[in-house]
Amino acid sequence: MGFLTLSSQLLLAATSVSAKWIIPGARWRDTAGNLVNAHAGSVTVDQGTGKFFLFGEYKVEGQVEGGGVSVYSSDDLATWEHHGQALEPIEGHPYISKEDIIQRPKVVYSKGTGKYHMWWHADNSTYGELLQGFAQADNITGPYSFVDATAPLGNWSQDFGLFVDYKDGRAYALYSNGDRKEGRDVYLTSYNENITALDKVVHRFDKYDLEAPTIVQTDKSYFALMSHKTGYRPNNVVAFRADSLSGPWSQPFIVAPLNTRTFNSQSGFTLRINGSAKTTYLYLGDQWDSISLWESRYIWLPISIDESRKSLEVQWHDVYDLDVKTGVVTPIKGKSYYAKDATVSGDAFLQEASFASHGVIATGIYGNDSKVTFSGIQGSGKPQWVSFYYQNTDDMGFGDQPGGTPDRINGTWQLRRISSVVVNGKVEEMETLYQRDTHKGIVLSTPLLLRLEKGGNNTVEIGGLYNGQDFKGADVDRIVVYEPEE
Ligand SMILES: *[C@@H]1O[C@H](CO)[C@@H](O)[C@H](O)[C@H]1NC(C)=O
Ligand SMILES: *[C@@H]1O[C@H](CO)[C@@H](O)[C@H](O)[C@H]1NC(C)=O
Ligand SMILES: *[C@@H]1O[C@H](CO)[C@@H](O)[C@H](O)[C@H]1NC(C)=O
Ligand SMILES: *[C@@H]1O[C@H](CO)[C@@H](O)[C@H](O)[C@H]1NC(C)=O
Ligand SMILES: *[C@@H]1O[C@H](CO)[C@@H](O)[C@H](O)[C@H]1NC(C)=O
Ligand SMILES: *[C@@H]1O[C@H](CO)[C@@H](O)[C@H](O)[C@H]1NC(C)=O
Ligand SMILES: *[C@@H]1O[C@H](CO)[C@@H](O)[C@H](O)[C@H]1NC(C)=O
Ligand SMILES: *[C@@H]1O[C@H](CO)[C@@H](O)[C@H](O)[C@H]1NC(C)=O
């Protein structure tokens, strides 16, 4: 299959970095150079040391479910050290075997038991059980031992979230109660004092049919973020606001620029950073790759909150620095190069586009002899992040529905726009650029770490790559070249 070939190609082309900057959508690597493997992740701050611990679903190529829960630690939320499996699948176990679903893990410290408690969405492979799993460990990194998998106050439980109120330390579970007609709610339910079981329902978000819930708490407000249910396809994440967890909660509102589908990501967790200069809120989303789940990316972005308007917005930055001590977010400067100044060859051409930069977009990058070339690019001689702003019009199909919208290959939705990126004609160092579908007229970006030569005479050439059916690159609006990190 063409797609597997591409995956192997990607591994070879991947560059090893341990960045201090946060680059949403990049291929994140840990301190050992491996892909950060903690999908649908959550971050727990160790109270003693202030260290951040990232827990998430461990996924490898070819595996369907039950990879267990991996754990990483970091002092800066950008450099991640792997500590192996916090929760290891056990063969033949009724709830945590490799055939079971272990999704959206969260970890919280229980003062009462003196242990770390892990909770997650526990299920079998057909989502027929709809339970919440519970495991415990003495050490934050584990190993966690399985305690139980239960139905929350007797109900069903699907996508799972956990929230701790910083004002009183009380913990709450958030969960959608599945897709059945009687379900389609999201529950907010308090834990008992020891966080060993659920206590009582605090609020039910009735029949909105949302999932992937998380709560952001400010001094004045609670904002509950959730995504719509579109499987692994991204959608416009919404938030509700309230003064108190029991409500009344506001109408839901969209948290990112309309039709960016939350910058091609799904909600899952949010983190409050109590910095010395300011309190910063981070959105920790997933950019799923529905065919190669193990290759899914992380979209972590600052959230801007406007209490007077009772609103919040997730803010895009291609590359940013987050000082976890002060809480200050600094976007990194970049220089833009526009399609209107690029040269085209083969079937590629420049087309009028009212939504694009300078009203022009490069399109028709079909087949690997059709290219768009940006010239005169200033480089530093050191690895630099380059963001590719693109439009992929193959949008809006749903993989599980029959029929043939354009973004599907043989009835299955998959990533169709893939480009080659070649710097200064060095074909042997070609990088592969995945360009996930966007709405028509919506331009999003995706990054690569490139080596440009020092000086202003670099070229970046973009061509179409094989996607399993044909050669098609997305339309290119511009590229932005960022300063090197040192
Ligand atoms: C919390 O857990 C501790 C340790 O197991 C136990 O001694 C205590 O009774 C528990 N508290 C409650 C309220 O259940
Ligand atoms: C999952 O659990 C449900 C409910 O017990 C059951 O009907 C279904 O057959 C199970 N699926 C698998 C794959 O065991
Ligand atoms: C807890 O885990 C950390 C990181 O793996 C390790 O350095 C430490 O020794 C462990 N502590 C205990 C008490 O096992
Ligand atoms: C779960 O809650 C819904 C309402 O939110 C209710 O209609 C349904 O019967 C409950 N299911 C179970 C198994 O308790
Ligand atoms: C925030 O941090 C300051 C010290 O920088 C501390 O005094 C304060 O209690 C913290 N607030 C919360 C809610 O954690
Ligand atoms: C370019 O396309 C041809 C087939 O049209 C293929 O044989 C060749 O491998 C492709 N080159 C790259 C770099 O993908
Ligand atoms: C700029 O690069 C081109 C090849 O891309 C080369 O032909 C040309 O000589 C270079 N110019 C300078 C001033 O280095
Ligand atoms: C699509 O389906 C056809 C007919 O079943 C098959 O010949 C072809 O290889 C498939 N293409 C892909 C990309 O899977």
Side-chain angles (χ1 to χ4, degrees):
M1 274 296 297
F3 217 83
L4 289 184
T5 314
L6 261 173
S7 304
S8 326
Q9 226 177 51
L10 272 170
L11 279 184
L12 291 178
T15 318
S16 177
V17 256
S18 57
K20 291 197 287 21
W21 290 343
I22 296 179
I23 299 99
R27 197 171 283 118
W28 292 7
R29 302 217 160 245
D30 65 17
T31 51
N34 299 311
L35 286 179
V36 171
N37 197 333
H39 302 283
S42 61
V43 171
T44 302
V45 186
D46 181 64
Q47 292 310 312
T49 61
K51 228 181 186 4
F52 299 102
F53 288 86
L54 169 65
F55 296 86
E57 300 169 20
Y58 183 80
K59 296 183 184 295
V60 293
E61 194 167 359
Q63 155 219 327
V64 185
E65 292 302 346
V69 177
S70 53
V71 55
Y72 294 79
S73 69
S74 177
D75 292 316
D76 62 4
L77 289 172
T79 313
W80 294 100
E81 185 188 346
H82 191 207
H83 298 280
Q85 296 287 86
L87 182 73
E88 193 110 44
I90 298 171
E91 209 180 312
H93 193 281
Y95 299 108
I96 55 167
S97 80
K98 285 205 155 107
E99 286 72 47
D100 292 312
I101 280 169
I102 303 172
Q103 284 178 345
R104 302 195 177 279
K106 310 284 180 290
V107 168
V108 60
Y109 180 70
S110 165
K111 282 194 184 127
T113 66
K115 292 179 195 290
Y116 292 90
H117 293 190
M118 179 186 286
W119 289 86
W120 68 93
H121 169 209
D123 221 319
N124 66 12
S125 60
T126 51
Y127 292 87
E129 295 177 338
L130 299 167
L131 301 174
Q132 290 175 4
F134 173 32
Q136 279 183 329
D138 293 324
N139 195 335
I140 191 164
T141 54
Y144 285 76
S145 352
F146 180 85
V147 178
D148 211 352
T150 52
L153 306 177
N155 211 292
W156 305 299
S157 177
Q158 209 160 342
D159 272 7
F160 176 79
L162 194 150
F163 163 70
V164 179
D165 192 310
Y166 74 76
K167 288 182 178 163
D168 60 10
R170 192 82 198 245
Y172 299 82
L174 284 151
Y175 46 97
S176 61
N177 60 345
D179 302 331
R180 286 175 232 208
K181 206 171 164 193
E182 314 91 282
R184 303 180 189 173
D185 310 310
V186 171
Y187 277 86
L188 170 59
T189 304
S190 57
Y191 280 100
N192 63 17
E193 212 172 295
N194 275 1
I195 321 179
T196 52
L198 288 175
D199 198 13
K200 73 166 196 289
V201 173
V202 172
H203 183 74
R204 193 173 80 189
F205 295 90
D206 211 11
K207 303 296 172 224
Y208 286 104
D209 205 14
L210 298 167
E211 63 182 4
T214 175
I215 286 183
V216 171
Q217 180 184 15
T218 67
D219 291 346
K220 286 189 181 146
S221 297
Y222 297 90
F223 292 92
L225 277 69
M226 302 172 202
S227 87
H228 294 86
K229 290 182 179 169
T230 50
Y232 286 115
R233 312 276 331 269
N235 58 60
N236 292 313
V237 167
V238 295
F240 303 78
R241 197 207 68 87
D243 293 331
S244 129
L245 286 172
S246 57
W249 287 85
S250 75
Q251 278 283 318
F253 58 91
I254 291 171
V255 303
L258 203 57
N259 293 329
T260 63
R261 295 187 295 209
T262 329
F263 307 110
N264 261 346
S265 74
Q266 184 179 31
S267 51
F269 199 70
T270 44
L271 186 63
R272 179 178 181 274
I273 296 154
N274 177 27
S276 56
K278 71 186 287 252
T279 304
T280 286
Y281 301 89
L282 269 195
Y283 165 89
L284 278 56
D286 293 282
Q287 187 171 72
W288 297 110
D289 181 328
S290 61
I291 299 286
S292 308
L293 278 177
W294 61 278
E295 235 280 296
S296 299
R297 309 286 175 89
Y298 310 102
I299 303 289
W300 289 15
L301 292 168
I303 298 171
S304 135
I305 295 177
D306 186 338
E307 298 280 9
S308 66
R309 290 184 55 236
K310 304 188 172 185
S311 190
L312 64 70
E313 194 172 29
V314 176
Q315 291 191 313
W316 180 262
H317 299 293
D318 286 337
V319 181
Y320 65 97
D321 180 71
L322 167 61
D323 184 329
V324 297
K325 299 280 178 282
T326 61
V328 173
V329 170
T330 312
I332 304 305
K333 287 199 192 80
K335 186 166 164 34
S336 295
Y337 299 87
Y338 297 98
K340 77 169 170 67
D341 301 320
T343 55
V344 288
S345 63
D347 295 335
F349 66 103
L350 298 180
Q351 190 174 19
E352 174 185 322
S354 61
F355 53 83
S357 303
H358 302 286
V360 171
I361 205 159
T363 189
I365 311 169
Y366 301 159
N368 60 10
D369 53 357
S370 297
K371 291 187 168 59
V372 177
T373 305
F374 293 84
S375 310
I377 296 171
Q378 193 71 38
S380 68
K382 293 173 187 163
Q384 284 170 273
W385 289 102
V386 178
S387 283
F388 293 79
Y389 279 77
Y390 70 94
Q391 173 198 224
N392 170 352
T393 54
D394 294 348
D395 67 337
M396 291 313 284
F398 291 98
D400 54 356
Q401 289 167 11
T405 52
D407 60 337
R408 284 189 251 165
I409 295 179
N410 279 5
T412 311
W413 181 83
Q414 78 175 58
L415 198 73
R416 271 180 56 113
R417 302 293 182 120
I418 305 167
S419 290
S420 59
V421 173
V422 173
V423 176
N424 295 328
K426 291 184 190 159
V427 177
E428 64 285 359
E429 290 173 21
M430 181 194 94
E431 293 276 355
T432 304
L433 188 70
Y434 277 167
Q435 296 153 312
R436 290 171 167 75
D437 57 313
T438 60
H439 270 290
K440 291 167 185 72
I442 296 294
V443 173
L444 294 176
S445 73
T446 189
L448 285 176
L449 190 67
L450 298 181
R451 266 170 208 283
L452 302 169
E453 277 163 34
K454 199 175 164 76
N457 195 31
N458 291 281
T459 60
V460 171
E461 196 178 88
I462 304 169
L465 274 185
Y466 194 58
N467 60 16
Q469 180 166 304
D470 49 21
F471 288 82
K472 270 193 165 183
D475 303 337
V476 178
D477 176 90
R478 66 191 186 279
I479 66 174
V480 184
V481 179
Y482 289 92
E483 295 171 353
E485 190 149 4
E486 313 277 307

